Each structure stands twice: as C-alpha cells, then as structure tokens.
Amino acid sequence: MSDKRITMNGLPAALSGAVLQVGDKAPAFRLVGNSLEPVTSDRFSGKVCVISCVPSVDTPVCSLETRRFNQEASRLPKEVVILTVSRDLPFAQARWCAANGIANIITASDYRNFGFAQDYGVLLEDLGLLTRAVFIVDKQGIIRYIQFVPEVTQEPDYEVVLLEIKKCL
C-alpha cells in the first residue's frame, strides 16, 4: 500500500503496490506493445527512460499528456526514450496512436496481470487503472525522479520532468 495521497475528481483514491523511491533500482517489467509484442525493461538498457503512467490514452487529460510527451520526445536526444503505460488494450492504443500521429514515443499495456502496476505502485485499487505518475530511470536502471500527480485528472508538471531528464544526460 502506498502512502501517496492521490485523488480522482477530488475524492481519495487508494493505490496499491510497491513504494519506490529515488535511488532504487527500477523494477524489471514485461508489458504488451501495440502489435502484441513484448515490451520489456531490457529494451531500454543504456538509455534514459521516462515512464509516463496514465489511466487511459482515450481520456482527455491522458490524451493531452501523451501528445505532449510525443512532442517533447522529438526534441530530446536519441538516448532518451519515453514510454507511456496504461491498461488500455494494445489494439486501442494502436488505434489512438495512429489517429493522433504518435510516432516519437512507445505505448504499452499492463492489461494482462497488473505486474507493472504492482511493481511501480501505481494501481488505483478501486478502478483497476494506473494512476498518473512519471518515473525517470537513468542509463544504469536507477530511478532518478518520481512524480505522482496528486489529482489524477490533472497533467504532470512537464517543466520539472524535462529538467530532471537533462540531469540524467
């Protein structure tokens, strides 16, 4: 159980799973990509990996966030990868990415077993969705930044995320 105070539409929302801290080794993960291919943490070894957790890319705020990170990714060095994780089915993610011109980030789903959600402590217990959070993992696989957005219906602080990415380069 996380000690993070999260609300959704102003109401308290309970999180479950691990409580990670800056300096921890990032948990390994196995997600499902848009074409049903495995997306594993090993794929990002030696890169700065920004993990953007969202409830669903098909909602207004998640859509804004994912499009913003796609735009920012086009300006970042190639050694930075942005991964957006939700519980959306891979088919829905693929459709949404195609409809929104998403080409600079990777989207992946934790729909199979909540493994990622539990290991990263981002599972909204009552909804079965991921909370809105951002993790930055350095080239050595160490978590260098964590941002849990206190109100799930709001966007993350992009400027802080971008500054923290630069610190990892």
Side-chain angles (χ1 to χ4, degrees):
M1 181 70 119
S2 173
D3 63 350
K4 303 290 180 216
R5 303 231 189 283
I6 303 294
T7 59
M8 177 121 174
N9 295 314
L11 300 173
L15 293 178
S16 68
V19 178
L20 299 176
Q21 297 179 12
V22 170
D24 288 348
K25 178 143 182 66
F29 57 80
R30 183 179 180 88
L31 301 164
V32 181
N34 292 357
S35 299
L36 301 178
E37 79 283 5
V39 175
T40 64
S41 48
D42 293 344
R43 178 175 175 179
F44 309 111
S45 181
K47 295 191 177 270
V48 174
C49 184
V50 179
I51 304 171
S52 169
C53 304
V54 299
S56 173
V57 293
D58 253 339
T59 61
V61 177
C62 299
S63 179
L64 285 170
E65 178 178 339
T66 305
R67 285 186 282 133
R68 170 73 185 264
F69 277 128
N70 184 66
Q71 179 184 27
E72 295 297 344
S74 70
R75 295 189 281 258
L76 292 169
K78 296 295 179 203
E79 64 202 90
V80 178
V81 63
I82 298 177
L83 170 66
T84 294
V85 181
S86 73
R87 297 224 54 235
D88 294 304
L89 291 176
F91 312 110
Q93 287 181 341
R95 178 197 48 76
W96 184 89
C97 287
N100 287 277
I102 303 300
N104 301 315
I105 65 171
I106 298 165
T107 59
S109 178
D110 188 34
Y111 82 96
R112 283 197 175 144
N113 64 11
F114 288 123
F116 175 90
Q118 288 292 334
D119 291 346
Y120 280 76
V122 295
L123 179 63
L124 288 164
E125 289 180 352
D126 293 340
L127 299 174
L129 299 172
L130 306 186
T131 193
R132 190 173 315 284
V134 179
F135 297 84
I136 299 176
V137 179
D138 71 12
K139 295 175 185 180
Q140 291 75 40
I142 304 300
I143 298 171
R144 295 298 174 196
Y145 177 75
I146 301 171
Q147 180 184 141
F148 278 85
V149 179
E151 169 55 52
V152 178
T153 62
Q154 295 177 353
E155 295 175 79
D157 186 335
Y158 301 109
E159 298 311 314
V160 172
V161 171
L162 293 170
L163 287 171
E164 292 296 329
I165 291 170
K166 289 178 183 170
K167 290 180 184 178
C168 291
L169 297 175

